[in-house]
Amino acid sequence: MFHHFLFPPHTEVLQQPFSSRPILFIAPNIPFPDRGGTDYRLLHLLKGTLKAGYAISFFSLYERDLLAGRIEKTSTFLQYETSLKELPLSHLFYGIRAFRTFLKSNPDTFSAIFIAWPKSVQATLPTIKRYAPSVPVIYDMCDYHARRLRREGELHSDPRILARAKEFQVIESEAARSTNLTLAISAEEKELFLSDNPSVNIDVLGNFFDFKDQSVPGPEERTGILFVGSFVHPPNRDGVLWFVREIYPLIKQKLPCIPFHVVGIDPPSEIREFSYKDPDIHVHGWVPDLSGLFRSTRVFVAPLRYGAGVKGKVGLAMSKGLPVVTTSIGAEGMDLTSETNCEISDSPEDFARKTIRLLSDTEHWCRISDQAQRHALKNSSTDDLPEKMRQIFETVGAVSSQRH
């Protein structure tokens, strides 16, 4: 367990000075890229911004000791922090008081500020407007939170969740109106958000994946079904419960010993218990390196019954050439076509049938695998990210050193 006295409560780390004013990225925490899709995406955005010729700084809303306390080992947290510093960074801040103190004394430090998640905007924008009102601010939605909560509330007929959806609708709308540029994660969510907020300035910034290794082992070398997702995120918990209770038994009627691998931080007890009841269900928890599972399992499932945005787990599996079976909600925002580059179904019976086909039909598996990776490479390669980040920052007037 991490002890709070090891780190001071407010920390600033200053690296070597840069020739240009850096872009400041703000998020709830430093990126833990092997623990969640949004952190994986954020790390790639940082790298893409550096490649575009910008210096970068980073501000974590949560204090350093609080973040370290969420990780199993202090040494693991320090590895995340060191990786972030070595990008390299111009500044690293933890906690709103450290950031406020710095910005008050150095109002002209940053050329633009990039804020991820709506509540991050809510927490930091008053400080930015007070001490650095001329600095342009970009708001990255990550996904349309109000939409996700509304779907969850409707699925479970829960008025409390529906009330939270209305609260987030207000928070997200205010964040978009108060900043210079809003980023939706897909063209679909851009249009949906614009229909609710027609006056905002909005662009699209999707997910991106690294294609350094494009080799894909064939289906004959693989077995089993894989799910990956953080269980801090409620749609993942709901999806796995739905799959195990209503879909997996139908698959096992045809393929009795097919293994199901469940990967993700903080699996709740009701999911961990599945592995005690069925020896074919393997609940791994957090797995820092997924490459082995992506190369050894035969089908990736994303049985999401509610959510919003673009599902990083689906794009990641496709980038690895691992065929995906998902729902219409899991496929949103990626222009996917069932039976071409993935399989899409919303009923337990059809979901099971399509999974069984990929588990047993080699020709169909190879066709879906190839088209999935081609689609991901065309639409989500990190090779395209530097130019996209340059365009976004130049939209608000932040010109990179490469342009200079």
Side-chain angles (χ1 to χ4, degrees):
M1 177 62 68
F2 179 80
H3 296 287
H4 284 234
F5 60 79
L6 293 180
F7 293 135
H10 312 294
T11 307
E12 297 177 20
V13 179
L14 303 181
Q15 303 284 34
Q16 293 298 315
F18 288 81
S19 58
S20 60
R21 293 160 64 207
I23 305 292
L24 175 66
F25 282 77
I26 297 177
N29 53 269
I30 65 172
F32 305 142
D34 53 5
R35 292 172 181 261
T38 50
D39 286 38
Y40 178 92
R41 175 176 182 268
L42 179 59
L43 184 61
H44 279 304
L45 299 188
L46 294 169
K47 291 180 177 179
T49 301
L50 283 170
K51 289 181 180 180
Y54 294 92
I56 59 171
S57 299
F58 195 91
F59 167 36
S60 163
L61 275 171
Y62 290 120
E63 301 285 0
R64 194 180 184 207
D65 58 349
L66 179 61
L67 288 181
R70 291 168 52 187
I71 306 301
E72 295 84 0
K73 297 179 180 178
T74 302
S75 59
T76 304
F77 170 77
L78 292 174
Q79 289 174 3
Y80 290 125
E81 186 182 67
T82 299
S83 297
L84 179 62
K85 292 178 186 178
E86 290 177 348
L87 285 178
L89 293 184
S90 180
H91 312 84
L92 175 58
F93 307 95
Y94 289 98
I96 188 67
R97 281 184 285 176
F99 175 62
R100 185 184 296 122
T101 299
F102 178 87
L103 200 62
K104 183 178 180 180
S105 302
N106 305 273
D108 299 321
T109 299
F110 307 112
S111 59
I113 298 176
F114 184 104
I115 310 179
W117 290 278
K119 287 205 167 183
S120 300
V121 177
Q122 190 181 47
T124 61
L125 198 60
T127 295
I128 295 167
K129 294 297 186 184
R130 180 176 182 181
Y131 298 119
S134 62
V135 178
V137 178
I138 298 167
Y139 159 47
D140 182 20
M141 295 178 65
C142 300
D143 70 33
Y144 199 169
H145 295 69
R147 185 188 195 194
R148 168 169 48 81
L149 289 166
R150 185 165 57 248
R151 285 172 162 174
E152 181 184 4
E154 291 170 351
L155 177 66
H156 298 297
S157 301
D158 190 327
R160 294 171 299 174
I161 298 176
L162 291 171
R164 286 185 61 213
K166 291 181 179 179
E167 293 173 6
F168 261 90
Q169 183 77 55
V170 173
I171 292 170
E172 289 174 293
S173 296
E174 179 61 26
R177 289 194 298 267
S178 303
T179 51
N180 300 83
L181 175 64
T182 296
L183 299 174
I185 202 166
S186 69
E188 177 186 350
E189 288 210 343
K190 171 186 173 181
E191 296 305 316
L192 181 63
F193 193 75
L194 270 176
S195 68
D196 297 330
N197 305 274
S199 63
V200 303
N201 182 24
I202 190 167
D203 198 355
V204 176
L205 180 63
N207 286 328
F208 293 85
F209 304 99
D210 193 335
F211 288 86
K212 288 180 180 177
D213 181 10
Q214 298 180 37
S215 65
V216 180
E220 62 280 348
E221 303 174 43
R222 300 168 174 269
T223 185
I225 303 166
L226 175 63
F227 173 89
V228 175
S230 166
F231 290 102
V232 176
H233 194 50
N236 291 327
R237 171 185 168 277
D238 175 84
V240 169
L241 291 175
W242 181 57
F243 181 82
V244 173
R245 290 168 177 169
E246 300 192 34
I247 300 170
Y248 189 53
L250 301 177
I251 296 171
K252 295 195 78 173
Q253 287 177 10
K254 298 289 185 181
L255 302 169
C257 297
I258 195 73
F260 177 41
H261 299 274
V262 181
V263 175
I265 62 169
D266 296 335
S269 58
E270 57 192 334
I271 288 176
R272 293 196 305 269
E273 287 171 1
F274 287 137
S275 62
Y276 308 139
K277 299 175 181 177
D278 187 336
D280 293 321
I281 298 178
H282 308 276
V283 180
H284 298 269
W286 171 57
V287 175
D289 183 1
L290 293 170
S291 57
L293 284 167
F294 275 125
R295 296 177 71 84
S296 64
T297 52
R298 181 147 170 160
V299 177
F300 187 92
V301 293
L304 303 173
R305 298 197 296 169
Y306 65 90
V310 173
K311 315 309 179 291
K313 60 175 66 64
V314 173
L316 182 60
M318 291 176 62
S319 75
K320 305 299 183 184
L322 181 59
V324 174
V325 185
T326 188
T327 59
S328 55
I329 285 177
E332 280 179 337
M334 289 182 278
D335 296 321
L336 300 180
T337 304
S338 193
E339 299 189 15
T340 300
N341 44 36
C342 70
E343 291 286 9
I344 303 172
S345 178
D346 292 320
S347 77
E349 295 78 14
D350 193 49
F351 199 111
R353 181 184 64 80
K354 290 181 173 180
T355 304
I356 291 167
R357 184 181 180 190
L358 284 168
L359 289 166
S360 54
D361 186 333
T362 296
E363 182 179 343
H364 182 59
W365 188 98
C366 291
R367 182 169 58 252
I368 295 289
S369 170
D370 180 65
Q371 290 302 314
Q373 192 176 53
R374 288 175 183 270
H375 184 86
L377 181 61
K378 178 182 177 182
N379 295 284
S380 307
S381 173
T382 51
D383 292 343
D384 303 321
L385 189 51
E387 181 58 29
K388 180 62 179 176
M389 298 308 291
R390 184 183 294 114
Q391 292 171 3
I392 287 170
F393 290 122
E394 289 185 354
T395 297
V396 299
V399 181
S400 75
S401 59
Q402 290 178 4
R403 294 293 199 209
H404 288 306

